[in-house]
Amino acid sequence: DAGITQSPRYKITETGRQVTLMCHQTWSHSYMFWYRQDLGHGLRLIYYSAAADITDKGEVPDGYVVSRSKTENFPLTLESATRSQTSVYFCASSGTSGGTQYFGPGTRLLVL
Amino acid sequence: GESVGLHLPTLSVQEGDNSIINCAYSNSASDYFIWYKQESGKGPQFIIDIRSNMDKRQGQRVTVLLNKTVKHLSLQIAATQPGDSAVYFCADGDNYGQNFVFGPGTRLSVLP
């Protein structure tokens, strides 16, 4: 019972590089989400997806791109990483609209 | 939840005592509320939820109280144990969207 997994768990990259964070869930949940967690801000929604091929912006989408070609995967790409994108990134999924979100273990990203 | 600035509030309790963690929310339209527990280096873990048509809900050793008049939510943990040490945060949302608002959290430290 894998649930929801994220990879990599830790990543160090340099400014300007492209980085992709992976998220995979085995529950066949329709809804998937990407958050970043920074001290003083709590969790902030980057993007979410209601189903395959349907994505919407959250509170802080700038500098990020998502795709959802398959229900179980929801990758997050930083097209040109900046230091301000150093953060812990959490993926979550939910089976229903507005329902409880279940979180992955997170990816710690450091942009030098 | 509402942001309370850069400093994470901390609550220290003696093992065996009851803990009460508070949360304020700002959206009058919120009708679904969740408490999460986040241990160091892990993703948020669902604890308990409550809908706006209730003012109290109990789980195993946890109780959530909702006061819609003052937009306040609390989490009570009975007989606090060392394993309860974590950051606890609330989230509120409505059934019409996916944009849950997460509070910055309260750090609970259980003293032996």
Side-chain angles (χ1 to χ4, degrees):
Chain A
D1 183 8
I4 183 165
T5 57
Q6 294 182 236
S7 62
R9 294 295 313 280
Y10 304 90
K11 177 73 177 178
I12 301 174
T13 190
E14 294 177 335
T15 302
R17 290 191 180 268
Q18 183 180 81
V19 178
T20 296
L21 310 184
M22 305 301 293
C23 179
H24 176 79
Q25 51 103 358
T26 60
W27 295 309
S28 298
H29 281 173
S30 296
Y31 296 87
M32 295 188 75
F33 310 82
W34 274 107
Y35 293 90
R36 59 178 291 172
Q37 187 176 43
D38 305 286
L39 191 63
H41 290 283
L43 284 161
R44 291 183 291 175
L45 183 64
I46 304 171
Y47 269 95
Y48 67 97
S49 168
D53 298 321
I54 300 175
T55 62
D56 281 293
K57 295 179 180 179
E59 180 186 354
V60 289
D62 293 343
Y64 303 96
V65 174
V66 293
S67 62
R68 187 127 180 250
S69 58
K70 292 184 178 181
T71 301
E72 60 267 31
N73 297 323
F74 191 38
L76 175 74
T77 298
L78 289 66
E79 292 190 303
S80 178
T82 64
R83 288 182 182 155
S84 64
Q85 292 177 310
T86 292
S87 186
V88 182
Y89 291 85
F90 288 102
C91 179
S93 71
S94 173
T96 59
S97 176
T100 302
Q101 296 179 22
Y102 297 92
F103 286 80
T107 294
R108 290 183 178 271
L109 176 68
L110 174 61
V111 183
L112 300 175
Chain B
E2 291 182 328
S3 172
V4 293
L6 294 175
H7 301 288
L8 200 62
T10 299
L11 175 66
S12 297
V13 299
Q14 291 292 138
E15 182 178 353
D17 287 352
N18 296 334
S19 304
I20 300 176
I21 301 170
N22 298 303
C23 180
Y25 64 96
S26 57
N27 185 2
S28 301
S30 291
D31 58 9
Y32 183 50
F33 307 86
I34 309 171
W35 277 101
Y36 285 93
K37 172 186 180 183
Q38 187 175 21
E39 296 175 283
S40 182
K42 296 184 178 180
Q45 178 185 3
F46 171 86
I47 303 174
I48 192 167
D49 61 358
I50 189 168
R51 296 218 174 256
S52 60
N53 59 350
M54 302 173 69
D55 53 22
K56 180 180 180 179
R57 190 168 187 215
Q58 289 184 292
Q60 188 176 15
R61 282 202 307 120
V62 294
T63 301
V64 55
L65 298 177
L66 174 63
N67 185 330
K68 296 180 288 295
T69 302
V70 295
K71 296 200 281 290
H72 183 268
L73 196 65
S74 68
L75 176 71
Q76 299 178 358
I77 304 174
T80 312
Q81 303 169 359
D84 295 328
S85 292
V87 174
Y88 291 81
F89 54 91
C90 64
D92 63 282
D94 63 60
N95 276 325
Y96 300 102
Q98 301 301 324
N99 232 342
F100 276 93
V101 176
F102 291 82
T106 296
R107 185 178 303 280
L108 176 65
S109 294
V110 181
L111 308 174

